[in-house]
Amino acid sequence: MGYIEPAPIMDKENPFESMMSRFKIAAGHLGLNEDTYNVLKSPDKQVIVNLPITMDDGSIRVFEAYRVIHNNILGPSKGGVRFDPNVNLDEVKALAAWMTWKCAVVDIPYGGAKGGICCNPRQMSSGEIERLTRAYTTALYDVFGPDKDIPAPDMGTGQREMAWMMDQYSRNSGMTVNGVVTGKPSVLGGSEGRTEATGRGVMVSALTALEKLKINPYNCTVAVQGFGNVGSNAALLLADRGTKVVAISDITGAYYNSNGIDIEKANEYRLNNRGTLDNFTGAEKLDSADELMMLDVDVLVPAALENVITKHNADRIKAKLIVEGANGPTSAKADDIIAKKGIVVVPDILANAGGVTVSYFEWVQNRLGYKWTRDRVNRRSDRIMRTAFEQVYNTSVKYDVTLRIAAYIVAIDKVAKTYAYRGGF
Ligand code: GLU
């Protein structure tokens, strides 16, 4: 289809090592004992399965798939399932650990997990993706469960895949179990507001951070890297709150308009154009997708992949505020460069926690057999996001650390305290 590659991964920093280096710093500030440190640095469980699938042409292809449970001391483990050709065990391990910290930061009763299938859904038919999703669910039937481990959408998956997972798990159980996955379509027990939830949390985090920085959102320019579910909803909501979104990008390139892009139009265009901004005319196309990262804007929202802000480009970033819609967009080696430049970063485990927060609401509603209104969902998730932001902010002041390290401190402290009470080794 003539896609150009997504923003280049310029630095091969291992995402698990990136996670660990922040974990070590936060553990040092907390004076975490060595035993707890050793428990938390290793995932509880790592499952690798090979899934043979009949392709539409009759051939059989074997797909490698993963589910990593990082920790479940706070409750059943929670985290999305990613369908992407770059999925690998180290990435899934890092993403699973980030889910533990993310759930702890927003104070919801979940541990952390992540899953992934190494596949390219863009080159597969809907039938092939369905067979793969069902095979994955059956292979992991013993791992999943509404009180054990609860998957959700992530990159390359959405409501459609969650419906198949819920159906396959229910078939295997001999009854309908809708609380086993979140991010389902509404008729299957999906929550109002779940689709926009991550983007909405990014908007709330961005506005709260702008308030602290005393920047008026009405005088504020924004660039959003990635125009999938998270990026497009964050851009829509940020534009709605008065900021000027001047740049957006996706797998087809980066688009810039100094007068502000009509985000509603861009989103409509995307939805009618097989999910991409290819040939979008509401803005001028930049020479390279990486240029978006270096624009002279107030707020930069990386909302796509890991490792897009690295030691190679961090020095050229001009934004005053970075709000991490993606998981792990900034490599650990870029942290110091960014901090020295005085750029404030609202870290992933806080900024994009709106998604799992509304996943939690979905699970609560499924267990109650009751549906909340969109208003109630939004009000409660906004409150959780703001409370978590304040706690992380106050922690950063108390320990004199970045918001990222403060978020790790808040999360690790909560998990460590739970271990101290529960013990049992
Ligand atoms: N995949 C999303 C994340 O990284 C959502 C996880 C969930 O809702 O469980 O936060």
Side-chain angles (χ1 to χ4, degrees):
M1 276 184 271
Y3 290 129
I4 61 161
E5 280 302 302
I9 299 177
M10 301 167 77
D11 192 323
K12 288 272 180 269
E13 255 181 80
N14 176 310
F16 191 75
E17 279 161 21
S18 266
M19 186 286 294
M20 278 308 296
S21 69
R22 280 87 171 236
F23 173 49
K24 269 184 210 155
I25 299 172
H29 282 286
L30 274 173
L32 193 72
N33 68 53
E34 204 182 331
D35 297 337
T36 314
Y37 176 84
N38 286 335
V39 171
L40 289 177
K41 77 173 204 249
S42 347
D44 286 355
K45 189 187 285 193
Q46 305 178 59
V47 185
I48 305 178
V49 287
N50 285 297
L51 307 170
I53 303 297
T54 306
M55 307 303 280
D56 291 347
D57 65 4
S59 66
I60 292 177
R61 258 186 74 187
V62 181
F63 293 88
E64 186 159 293
Y66 315 90
R67 184 73 180 171
V68 174
I69 315 281
H70 172 258
N71 190 279
N72 57 12
I73 193 78
L74 295 180
S77 49
K78 188 84 189 79
V81 179
R82 178 171 288 200
F83 287 6
D84 188 82
N86 295 315
V87 162
N88 61 72
L89 187 60
D90 257 341
E91 182 193 52
V92 180
K93 266 167 69 180
L95 290 162
W98 279 323
M99 286 309 301
T100 303
W101 312 136
K102 198 185 293 189
C103 294
V105 165
V106 285
D107 202 19
I108 57 179
Y110 284 145
K114 201 78 170 198
I117 306 184
C118 187
C119 66
N120 189 348
R122 286 177 190 277
Q123 290 170 2
M124 292 168 72
S125 71
S126 161
E128 289 168 342
I129 297 174
E130 175 173 356
R131 292 195 285 284
L132 184 58
T133 308
R134 289 187 184 276
Y136 180 73
T137 310
T138 296
L140 289 160
Y141 181 70
D142 291 339
V143 172
F144 295 149
D147 292 304
K148 291 198 316 200
D149 180 40
I150 309 146
D154 198 80
M155 202 186 287
T157 59
Q159 288 192 354
R160 181 181 70 161
E161 289 74 17
M162 297 308 109
W164 289 327
M165 289 186 87
M166 179 273 203
D167 180 72
Q168 191 58 39
Y169 185 89
S170 298
R171 279 171 198 270
N172 296 349
S173 305
M175 61 183 172
T176 293
V177 187
N178 58 11
V180 69
V181 288
T182 59
K184 300 177 291 292
S186 175
V187 285
L188 300 189
S191 180
E192 292 296 326
R194 175 62 186 87
T195 308
E196 315 83 272
T198 311
R200 188 176 175 92
V202 168
M203 175 273 286
V204 172
S205 314
L207 291 190
T208 315
L210 286 173
E211 223 175 281
K212 299 280 184 210
L213 292 170
K214 300 195 167 41
I215 299 176
N216 181 348
Y218 287 95
N219 301 329
C220 173
T221 52
V222 180
V224 179
Q225 184 250 353
F227 207 63
N229 176 44
V230 179
S232 63
N233 281 300
L236 275 168
L237 289 161
L238 279 165
D240 187 53
R241 300 303 147 106
T243 69
K244 199 200 283 180
V245 181
V246 293
I248 55 179
S249 71
D250 73 359
I251 193 163
T252 66
Y255 304 82
Y256 176 77
N257 183 340
S258 60
N259 298 318
I261 296 172
D262 184 334
I263 298 296
E264 262 175 51
K265 237 195 212 151
N267 197 39
E268 242 166 67
Y269 183 87
R270 167 182 87 103
L271 295 174
N272 294 323
N273 193 41
R274 287 192 288 179
T276 79
L277 291 165
D278 208 11
N279 295 319
F280 176 62
T281 51
E284 146 207 2
K285 192 164 177 177
L286 297 176
D287 290 336
S288 88
D290 205 37
E291 254 181 78
L292 175 139
M293 312 290 290
M294 317 305 157
L295 288 173
D296 191 3
V297 289
D298 297 299
V299 184
L300 175 63
V301 179
L305 296 165
E306 293 107 72
N307 280 344
V308 291
I309 300 173
T310 67
K311 64 180 185 214
H312 300 294
N313 65 6
D315 207 33
R316 287 177 284 137
I317 289 179
K318 299 192 188 75
K320 300 183 183 77
L321 173 67
I322 297 174
V323 185
E324 296 184 335
N327 292 310
T330 309
S331 78
K333 287 187 185 144
D335 279 353
D336 282 345
I337 305 172
I338 301 267
K340 275 198 195 105
K341 285 172 68 96
I343 301 171
V344 173
V345 179
V346 187
D348 44 8
I349 57 172
L350 171 62
N352 70 41
V356 74
T357 299
V358 177
S359 274
Y360 166 57
F361 295 160
E362 181 169 324
W363 178 80
V364 167
Q365 293 169 73
N366 293 159
R367 295 170 78 93
L368 289 173
Y370 185 73
K371 219 165 171 76
W372 294 0
T373 61
R374 180 176 298 259
D375 240 24
R376 172 180 275 197
V377 169
N378 287 346
R379 233 181 13 242
R380 291 190 178 199
S381 62
D382 291 358
R383 192 165 62 213
I384 285 185
M385 290 303 295
R386 275 196 299 266
T387 306
F389 189 103
E390 288 301 330
Q391 195 188 3
V392 168
Y393 184 83
N394 293 338
T395 305
S396 84
V397 173
K398 180 174 162 196
Y399 287 88
D400 191 21
V401 292
T402 60
L403 292 178
R404 187 187 311 283
I405 296 303
Y408 276 74
I409 290 177
V410 168
I412 293 165
D413 189 37
K414 185 170 178 208
V415 177
K417 279 190 177 130
T418 311
Y419 268 111
Y421 277 116
R422 288 184 61 169
F425 296 115

